Amino acid sequence: MNPQQFIEDLKELNLSLDLKQGNLALRGYTNNLSQDELRSILDKNKDVLTSIKEHKEDLKTYLSTVSGHKLRRKQSKNVVSVYPLSPLQQGMLFHSLYQGDHPSGAYINQFSCDFWDLNVECFRKSWDYLLDAHTILRTAFHHEEFDLPLQAVYKKVSIPFEEIDISKLTESAQKAWIQAFLEQDRIRGFKMDQPPLMRITVLRLNEQKHRLIWTNHHILSDGWSTPIMMTRVLECYKALVENKVVKQYPVDKYEDYIRYIESRNKEKQEFFWSKYLSSIEGPTLLPFIRDSIDRNKGGANVKQVDFRLDPDASAKLHTFATQHRITINTIVQAVWAYLLSRYTGQSTITYGVIVSGRPPELSNSEDRVGLYINTIPLCTSIDRDQSLFDWLKELQKTHAQSREFQFTALSSIQKWVNIQGDFFDTILTFENYPVGDELVNDQSQVGGDVTVDERTNYLLELTISFSRTLHVNFLFNDNLLQEEYVHMINGHYQHLLNQIIDNPDIKVKDLCLLPPKELEKVTVQFNNNIVPFPEDRTCLNHFQEKARQNPDAVAVVCQGEQLTYKELDDRSNQIAHHLIEKGIKHDMPVVICMDRSNNMLIGIWSILKAGGAYLPIDPDLPMERVHRLVKDCNSKVLLTSQKRFKTLSELSKIDFVLVDDKSGAFDQYPTSPVNVVVGKQHLAYIIYTSGSTGIPKGVMIDHQGLLNHLYGMVDTLDIDRQSRLLQNAKF
């Protein structure tokens, strides 16, 4: 399809296609059309809407480019090119704008290193040469003027360059000053529509030594680009100092990459990602934090915890990977996938991985500067009966397939699989480019102490590299995720990795999450609280004995009304007979959805006596969630009150029992115990998780577990006949 020709053809029909707030809008070209007039034209030209639907993304891209031409005309003296953003640029721009007047420093990168005998003026000119050679470094980002954000390349841009003399400070004072400056410089951020989105600060430490602080927005470049830029700056600097001709490179146009990803087939991308993620259960979110809308919005207070495998273990890891044709990247991805599965309880998990995004079809793709990386979801299912080796091979194969579609925007993927809100809150980056001191090839010009500080918006980021040893670094938002949890995660990761290295033939189910000391703490120290209890009995046996021994004793009080043990026993027996008549048997889930009251307790005991497992649902929950829980547990009977029946009556395929029925319907049933034997192995109740880390899951508790808990509470709280317990939960 030729979008330009299509737009021209629409004009012949007196139609115009515009882009409004990211959506396509069809209207009259020369005058406003009524709905009837517009419908009449479309009825006669049915292919118009079909073409718009089939080529929606191409039309959006074309119309945004037309908007870019308007910007170029508006600022024609300096703007040389305008085009859309890459997928990851879109996300970074969103998070930068989201922070508004309270920047957190997310996606602000800082590179620092020392220089000996620096010629500051030659150094400044070297950076201007760098900007001339790479269009992305002369780029600004415009979002307010257009329906879709655009990036504009400017013809001539000078980099902000500042020299500050702190040589009179002591060494310790210099360190404190530099640290404070780095934090302030990060928070300062950038105005996205004012190029360049980078600046240079040179600190004079003494007569011979300077320190470079290079601050830039991540939206301009990725980690692979950093050594390319530093190499070219130093090459240029050396030539200028030696009064030689500076080597000229062909202009590196980031627009080439944008045009490449625009040419990718959108329908194939949607088909692949929809199929690849078809088994997901919902978002994969760490459970160690409170629910927060800022979970993935970045934070100024970023900390790190890391570990490095010793040389022997690293060598064994490399040997295992080589012998089995498994990449080290696949192994470290599998370890994190396993941990997420155990932390969240999900058998299928998803997290973000960073892919290089440098297409070989682009000439000199390895030498280009720009943001070529992208974040895509890694999805895998953990089958406990599968061998570790088979799982690794499968993971490597499916991830390799997903990289064929690595240029897709994460927002589009999330829309296709209907995930709202945060998709995941952890990402993994396997760094296969130089880091640290290796970033600078010519060490003769650099005084060392190379540091790179990069921050994303995610709650937790794993950055992993392998040179002579494996290095795993956990970067986390300390405002939301406590450091003690990250140390725990760090220990779990090391322990699992060592198991894989030492036992490559192990099955997934034989992997042990906890290191020996933590395992001993959980299984021995935490369990050193044995309270004897009769294992051949249930809470029903105890209740019936109490009712026989003290029938007139008060069992429950609520809002001024009380029930004796005999009244509670008799009424729950009658309703239990009724439930059995409705087909309730051992282990069958029975929903109880009513307000806290004496009748609620009658309902719970009647379900237990009939042999069922009660499933409490808060009556104040949204009906959508109530529907989901009732459907998931496949309950056939629901106990409620007359007050709540009207709201719940829209539920289908379920029998309602009104516990507070006053018509005398239950009086026909005997008050004698039902003829049902409930054992310790039978289910007592089912409780659903909150669902904060995905879809709520039902946890099944048997009578032995319930009685064990009750005896534990009697012992812990020192409960006796005179005690009164306040119910502080819904059920």
Side-chain angles (χ1 to χ4, degrees):
M1 179 197 207
N2 184 331
Q4 183 177 3
Q5 185 59 52
F6 181 74
I7 299 296
E8 292 298 320
D9 292 342
L10 288 180
K11 293 179 182 178
E12 298 295 325
L13 300 174
N14 192 24
L15 294 176
S16 174
L17 191 65
D18 299 319
L19 199 57
K20 298 293 182 185
Q21 297 181 341
N23 296 313
L24 295 173
L26 196 62
R27 60 179 180 81
Y29 177 59
T30 57
N31 58 290
N32 292 327
L33 297 176
S34 67
Q35 288 294 321
D36 290 339
E37 290 172 327
L38 183 60
R39 191 178 298 110
S40 176
I41 295 175
L42 294 176
D43 286 342
K44 296 175 183 177
N45 300 272
K46 297 184 182 297
D47 58 326
V48 169
L49 287 180
T50 302
S51 297
I52 292 174
K53 290 178 181 178
E54 291 179 352
H55 303 282
K56 178 174 62 176
E57 296 303 324
D58 293 333
L59 289 166
K60 283 185 178 181
T61 300
Y62 171 75
L63 290 171
S64 66
T65 303
V66 171
S67 298
H69 293 323
K70 295 177 182 177
L71 173 66
R72 195 184 308 175
R73 288 195 296 270
K74 181 180 177 182
Q75 301 180 351
S76 58
K77 291 182 179 180
N78 204 12
V79 174
V80 294
S81 187
V82 180
Y83 44 87
L85 279 62
S86 74
L88 195 56
Q89 283 182 319
Q90 295 172 21
M92 290 184 182
L93 179 63
F94 166 78
H95 286 289
S96 297
L97 298 176
Y98 175 86
Q99 293 166 18
D101 296 329
H102 305 284
S104 67
Y107 294 115
I108 302 296
N109 298 340
Q110 291 176 317
F111 175 98
S112 305
C113 69
D114 293 339
F115 283 84
W116 295 107
D117 300 318
L118 184 71
N119 184 320
V120 175
E121 182 57 26
C122 289
F123 195 59
R124 183 191 61 76
K125 291 179 180 179
S126 301
W127 288 95
D128 284 334
Y129 273 104
L130 182 71
L131 267 63
D132 289 342
H134 303 281
T135 61
I136 188 63
L137 304 182
R138 293 180 270 118
T139 296
F141 298 83
H142 298 266
H143 67 282
E144 291 184 337
E145 303 97 319
F146 313 107
D147 291 291
L148 289 179
L150 297 172
Q151 53 187 319
V153 179
Y154 289 72
K155 184 177 182 180
K156 190 63 180 177
V157 173
S158 294
I159 190 167
F161 191 101
E162 183 178 14
E163 182 182 7
I164 303 175
D165 189 347
I166 59 171
S167 59
K168 293 182 180 180
L169 299 177
T170 64
E171 185 175 345
S172 60
Q174 284 184 355
K175 288 182 178 179
W177 191 97
I178 291 172
Q179 186 59 43
F181 176 84
L182 287 170
E183 289 302 317
Q184 289 300 316
D185 191 48
R186 176 185 295 281
I187 297 301
R188 179 177 156 198
F190 295 94
K191 292 187 180 299
M192 303 303 289
D193 60 352
Q194 296 180 14
L197 273 63
M198 56 191 295
R199 55 180 168 264
I200 299 295
T201 305
V202 174
L203 306 177
R204 184 184 181 88
L205 304 181
N206 54 48
E207 287 295 326
Q208 292 80 34
K209 193 175 183 181
H210 290 75
R211 183 156 186 82
L212 161 69
I213 298 177
W214 169 24
T215 304
N216 61 89
H217 200 293
H218 200 355
I219 200 170
L220 298 182
S221 63
D222 51 28
W224 187 276
S225 302
T226 304
I228 298 173
M229 290 187 283
M230 280 306 303
T231 298
R232 292 186 177 173
V233 165
L234 294 178
E235 282 180 358
C236 181
Y237 172 73
K238 186 176 182 180
L240 291 172
V241 168
E242 297 175 356
N243 202 24
K244 294 180 180 179
V245 176
V246 175
K247 182 178 179 180
Q248 297 295 318
Y249 290 94
V251 176
D252 171 20
K253 296 182 178 180
Y254 186 66
E255 182 177 359
D256 296 342
Y257 172 64
I258 298 298
R259 300 310 175 195
Y260 173 82
I261 61 178
E262 285 180 343
S263 68
R264 309 293 289 178
N265 188 298
K266 304 296 189 301
E267 287 75 18
K268 288 183 178 180
Q269 291 178 14
E270 181 175 358
F271 177 80
F272 171 80
W273 287 113
S274 298
K275 183 177 180 181
Y276 176 72
L277 297 167
S278 60
S279 61
I280 62 173
E281 304 167 8
T284 301
L285 304 174
L286 282 177
F288 307 122
I289 73 165
R290 67 183 190 279
D291 290 339
S292 171
I293 60 171
D294 293 326
R295 177 187 286 264
N296 281 341
K297 298 301 185 293
N301 196 20
V302 174
K303 290 188 177 181
Q304 64 180 32
V305 172
D306 70 335
F307 75 88
R308 190 180 295 274
L309 275 188
D310 63 63
D312 289 341
S314 296
K316 288 174 68 175
L317 175 63
H318 183 266
T319 299
F320 168 75
T322 303
Q323 288 179 347
H324 294 87
R325 296 184 178 180
I326 299 288
T327 65
I328 293 177
N329 187 20
T330 298
I331 296 171
V332 298
Q333 287 175 346
V335 174
W336 187 236
Y338 179 85
L339 286 178
L340 282 178
S341 176
R342 294 297 302 272
Y343 293 153
T344 64
Q346 295 173 318
S347 58
T348 300
I349 61 87
T350 309
Y351 65 88
V353 290
I354 305 299
V355 288
S356 67
R358 292 177 177 261
E361 294 89 343
L362 279 185
S363 61
N364 303 315
S365 63
E366 300 298 308
D367 297 323
R368 290 174 178 258
V369 170
L371 189 72
Y372 289 89
I373 60 171
N374 192 23
T375 303
I376 61 173
L378 180 146
C379 180
T380 185
S381 296
I382 289 81
D383 181 353
R384 290 178 55 80
D385 293 324
Q386 196 173 20
S387 73
L388 174 66
F389 177 70
D390 287 343
W391 178 39
L392 291 174
K393 294 290 279 187
E394 180 184 321
L395 177 61
Q396 182 163 286
K397 178 183 176 181
T398 55
H399 183 52
Q401 292 171 344
S402 71
R403 288 202 303 272
E404 295 179 20
F405 301 89
Q406 63 179 299
F407 307 103
T408 311
L410 184 60
S411 58
S412 297
I413 298 173
Q414 192 165 340
K415 180 177 67 175
W416 293 333
V417 296
N418 196 29
I419 295 290
Q420 297 180 352
D422 293 321
F423 196 173
F424 43 76
D425 56 8
T426 65
I427 60 171
L428 187 151
T429 305
F430 190 80
E431 297 177 330
N432 57 352
Y433 51 83
V435 295
D437 289 342
E438 297 174 354
L439 279 166
V440 183
N441 295 323
D442 189 351
Q443 297 292 331
S444 63
Q445 301 178 71
V446 181
D449 197 14
V450 176
T451 60
V452 180
D453 190 356
E454 299 178 348
R455 301 184 184 183
T456 71
N457 62 287
Y458 286 95
L459 175 69
L460 176 66
E461 177 185 5
L462 288 76
T463 58
I464 303 176
S465 60
F466 187 93
S467 180
R468 290 174 291 276
T469 59
L470 183 79
H471 182 216
V472 180
N473 192 19
F474 296 89
L475 296 166
F476 61 100
N477 184 344
D478 187 44
N479 291 331
L480 297 176
L481 185 58
Q482 295 179 26
E483 189 170 348
E484 62 181 287
Y485 285 127
V486 183
H487 281 290
M488 177 195 72
I489 294 170
N490 184 41
H492 293 168
Y493 198 101
Q494 290 186 64
H495 183 57
L496 280 166
L497 193 57
N498 284 317
Q499 287 179 73
I500 292 173
I501 295 171
D502 296 333
N503 306 284
D505 297 324
I506 197 172
K507 281 196 170 185
V508 174
K509 67 180 179 182
D510 295 323
L511 290 170
C512 181
L513 172 69
L514 304 179
K517 288 185 179 180
E518 195 173 340
L519 183 63
E520 181 184 8
K521 182 183 293 185
V522 171
T523 57
V524 179
Q525 296 178 26
F526 288 173
N527 278 324
N528 189 23
N529 55 357
I530 298 174
V531 176
F533 73 98
E535 297 189 24
D536 59 340
R537 295 166 65 82
T538 69
C539 60
L540 291 172
N541 302 128
H542 289 274
F543 175 77
Q544 288 163 355
E545 285 182 4
K546 182 69 175 178
R548 284 197 302 270
Q549 294 170 3
N550 300 286
D552 297 325
V554 176
V556 57
V557 178
C558 183
Q559 294 180 343
E561 297 182 2
Q562 63 183 35
L563 285 177
T564 65
Y565 274 92
K566 182 178 186 338
E567 290 170 332
L568 178 57
D569 189 36
D570 289 350
R571 190 64 169 172
S572 58
N573 280 340
Q574 289 178 313
I575 298 179
H577 282 289
H578 179 66
L579 293 177
I580 292 171
E581 200 173 81
K582 283 187 169 292
I584 298 303
K585 298 178 181 178
H586 286 126
D587 301 332
M588 291 181 65
V590 180
V591 174
I592 181 166
C593 184
M594 55 195 302
D595 297 290
R596 191 184 332 192
S597 62
N598 292 342
N599 284 319
M600 183 195 74
L601 203 58
I602 291 173
I604 290 175
W605 280 110
S606 65
I607 296 170
L608 294 174
K609 289 179 176 182
Y614 73 89
L615 194 164
I617 295 180
D618 186 341
D620 292 325
L621 285 176
M623 277 305 297
E624 179 185 358
R625 183 178 170 99
V626 175
H627 273 279
R628 189 187 308 128
L629 297 181
V630 171
K631 181 180 179 181
D632 186 65
C633 74
N634 197 29
S635 176
K636 306 301 181 187
V637 178
L638 186 151
L639 273 62
T640 188
S641 61
Q642 297 184 58
K643 173 185 174 182
R644 295 289 182 173
F645 174 68
K646 184 177 180 180
T647 304
L648 297 170
S649 61
E650 62 184 72
L651 293 170
S652 59
K653 299 180 181 179
I654 194 164
D655 283 339
F656 290 92
V657 174
L658 303 183
V659 181
D660 58 353
D661 181 276
K662 294 189 171 48
S663 67
F666 299 129
D667 294 342
Q668 60 178 306
Y669 297 101
T671 58
S672 58
V674 296
N675 188 24
V676 175
V677 178
V678 177
K680 64 181 183 179
Q681 76 280 8
H682 292 127
L683 285 183
Y685 66 93
I686 301 171
I687 193 78
Y688 271 81
T689 61
S690 66
S692 60
T693 59
I695 299 174
K697 300 174 184 63
V699 180
M700 299 183 291
I701 308 297
D702 59 24
H703 275 274
Q704 184 178 30
L706 173 59
L707 191 62
N708 181 26
H709 171 70
L710 292 175
Y711 266 87
M713 288 297 98
V714 168
D715 181 73
T716 300
L717 302 177
D718 195 22
I719 298 172
D720 59 24
R721 291 173 182 267
Q722 307 303 316
S723 300
R724 282 196 171 199
L725 300 182
L726 175 67
Q727 182 182 351
N728 59 5
K730 285 278 187 179
F731 287 89

